[in-house]
Amino acid sequence: MTGTFNKIMLETLPAKAFKGEYAPGFRTALALKDQRLVVELAGELGLDAPVGAATYDVFGEVAKVYPDLDLSSILKHGETRDGFVARLAAQD
């Protein structure tokens, strides 16, 4: 999980999503699968993982709409669902 979010927050969002580019890199459907495995493993170990479960729920929402886009499409989903636009200013 940490690796995925580091990649999204530090690299993918600034480089792609904030520019409106969602071409597949790490597909949303694969992120959902990986997060499901995290939640299942936590359950098998008897651990409470509320953040992991919440993340799985959000990934599930995004994967229903954008399964083949990059995981950064989580931003696109938020824009569509919540009516905001998140873009970086043009760099000269």
Side-chain angles (χ1 to χ4, degrees), residues 31-55:
L32 176 64
K33 184 241 344 154
D34 287 353
Q35 190 61 26
R36 177 183 53 79
L37 294 173
V38 168
V39 171
E40 287 176 356
L41 179 60
E44 290 170 11
L45 296 172
L47 300 172
D48 186 27
V51 174
T55 301

Side-chain angles (χ1 to χ4, degrees), residues 7-77:
K7 178 79 171 166
I8 293 169
M9 295 300 154
L10 299 176
E11 297 176 20
T12 305
L13 286 178
K16 293 177 65 176
F18 285 138
K19 295 177 184 175
E21 300 171 9
Y22 305 103
F26 189 71
R27 292 178 43 235
T28 302
L30 292 175
L32 176 64
K33 184 241 344 154
D34 287 353
Q35 190 61 26
R36 177 183 53 79
L37 294 173
V38 168
V39 171
E40 287 176 356
L41 179 60
E44 290 170 11
L45 296 172
L47 300 172
D48 186 27
V51 174
T55 301
Y56 177 73
D57 291 343
V58 172
F59 284 4
E61 287 180 25
V62 178
K64 285 179 188 173
V65 183
Y66 307 112
D68 295 321
L69 294 184
D70 189 84
L71 181 56
S72 62
S73 63
I74 195 168
L75 183 64
K76 180 176 182 145
H77 180 67

